[in-house]
Amino acid sequence: MGRPSVTVLRLLVGRYLLGLRRRTHVAAVSAVSFTAMALGAAALVVTLALLAGFQSTIRQQLAVSGVHAVLRAKVGSTLPPGDWLERLRERHGELHVRSIASGAVWCVSEGGAVPAVLAVVDTLSGVEVNRVLAARLGAGVGAEVTLATPRATLTPLGPMPLRRRVAVDRVAEARPGEDRAEVRVPLALGAALLGGAAVETVELRASDPSRAFSVASDVQTELPDGVEVISFRELNRPLLAALALERVMIGFGVALVMAVAALNLLCNLALLAAEKRADVALLGALGLEPHSVRRLFLILGIGVGALGGVIGTVIGGLTAVVLDVTRALPLPRGVFVVSHVPFRVTAGAIAVVLGVSLGAALLASLAPARAAARRDVLQGLRYE
Amino acid sequence: MSQGPPASIEAVRGAGLSKGYGEGDRRVQVLAGLDISVQLGEMLAVVGPSGVGKSTLLHLLGLLDRPDAGTLELFGTDVGSLSAAGRARWRNRRTGFVFQFHALLPEFTLEENVAMPMLIGGSPMREALAAARELLGAVGLEPRRDHFPDQLSGGEQQRGAVARALVAGPELLLADEPTGNLDAANAESVFEVLRRLHVSRGLTSVIVTHNEALAGRCDRILRLVGAASGDACSRT
């Protein structure tokens, strides 16, 4: 004698699931549950891939165009003097190091007057405005802009704001999430406008954007007392947190599709248990033990759910990959930072979807399996 | 109350078996203190009017139900203390059932249906199917082994059910109106198969039937007249 009931369970599950040759109604019910689970899994995979794609792109853009770490004074607004900054430059040739002083400024052009942040950058040779300021001023490369600071200069007409008329040399792309108008000027011009600009912050950027998250830790030990480093993660904490929250919430919302599919599975299993009541009772009369009946319905439910989940995951994953590779969903340039809707299938997302499928199928199968196992054999035999 | 004829070996021994259904005023007492004895190798027919408790008695003997009172010994074992799983194993290995309805499972071929008790017992598929084929040959259905139940006549289905009841080599055969749904010719055919296999396999059989003619061909008749009159029985 082999292991009790294993062969018969395999036979029953196979016949009920596949509906081989006869009784296609049972197979149709199984197919509906299977399809619902597969669709739910596919929807979840595609959604998570879409979110991962967008978020990955945003992070990438952030790393490519943004600052990877900032050095600033722990106390006060100016960094301590000394040659530590030069030494940092020498030791980390792979880092772009920009010393910055900042102040408030009015930018005036034919398009109007716009308040902006004046950033004095030691590595600049010309005047640079970011795209936010360019849009508000209606000024592009070559446009003449007057910069006026609150610092007064004495004229025959009395104290007047200090002004400099400059030409815009470059319009810098806005970083993701940047909404602040900013004009960046070379050291000499900045010193004139602000009156001897002391270095307030130092921006660090690695040549390799993939190192964005590690720049802060790389330089941490080489900083003098009184200087602190703000990491890429801290600099972008609100945006990164929002992205993570978005992923969780949308993933949770789409996971409700799986919940609906699981409820469908539960209903269909309950229907199957009711339809097969007499047959299950007959099997019980022939000696099938209650725990085997429970296993039968658990295997049926988990089989449908897991199979649906796996097939749905494969379909969803392939769909996401094809959509990404073929760039099937283009986006208007200038509005978005990417040219097409990006999809990125991750192992973590696959694991989550498979886990959710299996868990949902198990939960959906428990009640019908338990009810079927507890059903009285005699009542079932009397049932017509 | 009545007893079977004295014999040296008892396959079934029930004492004071009682069974009722429902609660309070609606309670119906079906069996009240029934004593029963079936000798090893005996073919007992149980007859009586509807509702008298024939099927209930069969369910008690088949461990499909528990008596409210009384003791039951099958082949010398007190089966009253068996767990649900133990009762299921007993049914699988030591008892064969033939029902009036639910003859065969619709999703399975006749051969698979017949093999089902052995598969439930854990036998390998090949072994179970070989035994099923042998039994199907014994009941004259070997050529129909790949057919599904809805491709078989009522008589063929019931003969298939007889083959299924015996495939696992039980000692006790319980049949609940096995010919109740059949015409005279098919009823005769099924009963003949039952009778032949009962003898050739040395079974102890209890057959519930309304058919007095078939009952008369059994070794003994147990005539139930109802709990109201004390489960009065007579024997032939």
Side-chain angles (χ1 to χ4, degrees):
Chain A
M1 304 283 270
R3 284 171 59 206
S5 305
V6 170
T7 308
V8 76
L9 285 182
R10 200 164 52 218
L11 189 65
L12 287 165
V13 167
R15 210 52 62 85
Y16 285 164
L17 273 185
L18 302 177
L20 289 178
R21 296 170 285 188
R22 323 295 297 176
R23 307 292 290 189
T24 52
H25 175 64
V26 174
V29 168
S30 301
V32 168
S33 298
F34 168 83
T35 306
M37 292 297 287
L39 283 177
L44 195 51
V45 169
V46 170
T47 304
L48 290 178
L50 174 66
L51 286 170
F54 264 125
Q55 295 190 1
S56 170
T57 304
I58 290 171
R59 281 200 184 87
Q60 205 173 358
Q61 290 291 322
L62 211 57
V64 167
S65 62
V67 175
H68 298 165
V70 167
L71 308 181
R72 71 179 181 193
K74 283 180 183 172
V75 179
S77 60
T78 57
L79 287 167
D83 62 349
W84 60 271
L85 193 54
E86 286 310 312
R87 289 207 307 274
L88 197 68
R89 277 196 172 100
E90 287 168 12
R91 270 196 225 111
H92 295 277
E94 79 285 5
L95 292 179
H96 299 284
V97 181
R98 294 201 311 179
S99 304
I100 294 176
S102 64
V105 70
W106 279 92
C107 299
V108 184
S109 74
E110 291 175 357
V114 175
V117 171
L118 174 72
V120 183
V121 182
D122 62 347
T123 55
L124 278 183
S125 56
V127 174
E128 179 180 298
V129 298
N130 70 355
R131 191 165 284 284
V132 178
L133 180 57
R136 290 180 187 169
L137 281 176
V141 173
E144 297 272 318
V145 176
T146 299
L147 303 178
T149 68
R151 183 164 166 253
T153 181
L154 197 59
T155 70
L157 298 176
M160 295 288 284
L162 187 64
R163 291 180 299 170
R164 287 286 187 279
R165 192 164 184 81
V166 297
V168 174
D169 294 302
R170 182 168 174 267
V171 176
E173 287 296 328
R175 293 190 291 266
E178 186 180 54
D179 60 354
R180 190 177 68 167
E182 187 173 299
V183 54
R184 296 151 198 159
V185 300
L187 196 57
L189 177 58
L193 285 167
L194 297 176
V199 174
E200 293 173 345
T201 58
V202 172
E203 290 180 351
L204 305 178
R205 203 158 70 82
S207 309
D208 177 7
S210 66
R211 287 190 55 228
F213 284 92
S214 64
V215 168
S217 57
D218 288 348
V219 302
Q220 178 81 57
T221 56
E222 297 163 29
L223 302 177
D225 289 343
V227 178
E228 66 179 357
V229 59
I230 303 167
S231 68
F232 182 73
R233 193 179 300 281
E234 287 171 296
L235 285 170
N236 299 287
R237 185 182 296 282
L239 181 61
L240 294 176
L243 291 178
L245 182 66
E246 177 193 49
R247 192 171 187 194
V248 169
M249 294 311 293
I250 292 182
F252 177 75
V254 178
L256 290 178
V257 175
M258 295 295 291
V260 173
L263 287 174
N264 172 274
L265 177 61
L266 190 153
C267 290
N268 284 342
L269 276 178
L271 190 68
L272 181 65
E275 186 181 307
K276 291 289 156 200
R277 185 174 175 177
D279 290 356
V280 170
L282 179 60
L283 290 167
L286 297 180
L288 191 68
E289 295 177 31
H291 77 84
S292 293
V293 175
R294 186 167 56 245
R295 280 173 61 194
L296 168 65
F297 280 89
L298 277 177
I299 293 170
L300 278 172
I302 293 172
V304 168
L307 202 62
V310 169
I311 300 291
T313 300
V314 170
I315 291 172
L318 286 176
T319 303
V321 168
V322 168
L323 287 174
D324 190 63
V325 169
T326 61
R327 305 188 167 204
L329 303 174
L331 292 171
R333 286 184 180 278
V335 178
F336 296 96
V337 292
V338 286
S339 60
H340 68 285
V341 177
F343 292 88
R344 184 162 170 253
V345 181
T346 64
I350 297 291
V352 165
V353 175
L354 290 178
V356 168
S357 304
L358 203 61
L362 176 64
L363 287 176
S365 309
L366 282 176
R370 195 167 172 217
R374 294 176 73 175
R375 198 163 282 153
D376 184 58
V377 170
L378 262 187
Q379 293 290 333
L381 288 175
R382 291 185 186 122
Y383 180 76
E384 273 296 319
Chain B
M1 305 289 168
S2 74
Q3 299 286 334
S8 55
I9 306 173
E10 281 184 315
V12 176
R13 181 179 190 174
L17 294 174
S18 296
K19 186 68 186 178
Y21 299 101
E23 299 290 333
D25 295 342
R26 296 181 175 219
R27 182 166 179 81
V28 176
Q29 193 65 33
V30 180
L31 296 175
L34 174 70
D35 296 331
I36 183 172
S37 173
V38 185
Q39 306 308 307
L40 198 64
E42 187 179 20
M43 182 179 239
L44 175 72
V46 180
V47 298
S50 295
V52 78
K54 303 186 297 295
S55 293
T56 299
L57 174 61
L58 209 65
H59 295 153
L60 294 180
L61 299 183
L63 307 193
L64 290 170
D65 207 354
R66 292 177 186 270
D68 297 333
T71 60
L72 179 63
E73 282 185 18
L74 299 177
F75 303 100
T77 301
D78 181 359
V79 293
S81 58
L82 288 177
S83 65
R87 294 162 75 84
R89 281 194 292 275
W90 183 285
R91 288 197 299 270
N92 179 249
R93 290 165 193 176
R94 306 193 71 169
T95 309
F97 287 98
V98 180
F99 298 102
Q100 182 179 5
F101 304 109
H102 316 300
L104 300 170
L105 297 169
E107 283 89 356
F108 300 89
T109 64
L110 179 60
E111 186 181 43
E112 290 166 340
N113 264 287
V114 174
M116 199 59 76
M118 287 187 71
L119 295 174
I120 289 173
S123 296
M125 178 68 88
R126 181 177 298 191
E127 187 183 314
L129 291 179
R133 278 194 290 275
E134 184 189 332
L135 252 302
L136 284 172
V139 299
L141 287 175
E142 213 283 337
R144 310 279 272 165
R145 65 185 175 135
D146 290 330
H147 287 67
F148 285 87
D150 60 3
Q151 296 169 323
L152 302 171
S153 70
E156 287 173 328
Q157 288 189 35
Q158 205 59 323
R159 278 190 283 152
V162 171
R164 182 185 60 197
L166 301 179
V167 73
E171 299 146 271
L172 179 64
L173 176 65
L174 302 173
D176 191 358
E177 302 197 30
T179 60
N181 270 358
L182 305 177
D183 58 39
N186 273 310
E188 174 60 29
S189 165
V190 168
F191 185 80
E192 187 47 44
V193 165
L194 274 174
R195 181 77 200 168
R196 182 161 46 83
L197 291 173
H198 166 82
V199 173
S200 67
R201 295 186 161 241
L203 298 169
T204 300
S205 302
V206 178
I207 298 171
V208 167
T209 181
H210 281 292
N211 189 324
E212 289 284 349
L214 294 181
R217 292 162 63 185
C218 292
D219 300 332
R220 186 163 60 95
I221 297 176
L222 179 65
R223 198 172 300 277
L224 294 185
V225 293
S229 51
D231 286 326
C233 305
S234 65
R235 66 178 184 226
T236 301

